[in-house]
Amino acid sequence: MDEKRTLKLIQTIGRECLAGRVRTLSRVITCIYDRAMRPHGIKVNQAGILIMLALVEKPTPGDICRNFQMEKSTVSRNIDRMRKQGWIESGKGEGGLAQVLTVTPKGKKLLTDIYGKWEKAQKEVSEFLGEDGVKAIHMLTGRISGPKGRQK
């Protein structure tokens, strides 16, 4: 393949790749939330995990992996950090096989404490995306949990 054609293909990928665009958008939005929550020592992904743990009955690390499409090692690192902060505890589930996670009173207090910072970040992101962008995100994430479920 000649250099001109190779360059054209590379430029097309760079210009049109949806995965790259979504990852960049995700990083920008994550940065806004992380910056807002920094005074409380929590990142938005940890806050999301903490919220899920508070809402799900007898949640396990596997539930976190499935819910957030996260790798097992990433979940393990987050669980360890959150446990060291005193936000969660773990115990054995029924039959002693699965690790069940529980949000501690300190973790619940943290969630109420970050609400104002989350609300501010939510407003900033909504203004950044615009009404159409917010609607698009809700529509697209609705597809993830739709009848076909998440794709791996």
Side-chain angles (χ1 to χ4, degrees), residues 14-46:
R15 184 179 56 250
E16 297 179 18
C17 182
L18 296 175
R21 289 176 176 268
V22 169
R23 289 177 67 81
T24 300
L25 181 61
S26 175
R27 286 184 182 104
V28 168
I29 292 171
T30 297
C31 184
I32 292 169
Y33 284 94
D34 283 350
R35 187 175 56 241
M37 294 182 194
R38 186 174 296 133
H40 295 282
I42 190 169
K43 294 183 174 277
V44 70
N45 67 327
Q46 293 168 336

Side-chain angles (χ1 to χ4, degrees), residues 50-143:
L50 206 53
I51 290 163
M52 188 220 104
L53 295 177
L55 295 174
V56 172
E57 190 176 331
K58 299 181 182 177
T60 67
D63 294 329
I64 297 169
C65 291
R66 284 185 294 282
N67 191 61
F68 293 106
Q69 296 294 292
M70 295 171 81
E71 294 293 323
K72 190 175 181 178
S73 61
T74 303
V75 170
S76 293
R77 278 192 307 276
N78 276 290
I79 288 171
D80 287 343
R81 288 180 187 141
M82 294 167 72
R83 190 182 298 121
K84 286 177 185 170
Q85 292 293 330
W87 302 335
I88 62 171
E89 295 173 337
S90 61
K92 294 290 182 190
E94 292 177 23
L97 298 176
Q99 179 185 21
V100 175
L101 303 167
T102 308
V103 179
T104 64
K106 183 177 179 180
K108 288 179 183 175
K109 182 177 182 330
L110 175 65
L111 288 175
T112 60
D113 290 348
I114 66 169
Y115 183 81
K117 300 289 187 181
W118 170 85
E119 196 171 38
K120 183 179 176 192
Q122 183 83 349
K123 183 178 182 208
E124 185 178 343
V125 169
S126 294
E127 289 171 359
F128 169 72
L129 293 172
E131 188 177 332
D132 289 344
V134 171
K135 285 180 182 176
I137 287 178
H138 283 279
M139 184 268 300
L140 292 169
T141 54
R143 288 183 184 178

Side-chain angles (χ1 to χ4, degrees), residues 4-22:
K4 209 173 188 180
R5 175 140 168 77
T6 299
L7 179 59
K8 188 176 179 182
L9 293 175
I10 292 168
Q11 289 171 334
T12 299
I13 294 169
R15 184 179 56 250
E16 297 179 18
C17 182
L18 296 175
R21 289 176 176 268
V22 169

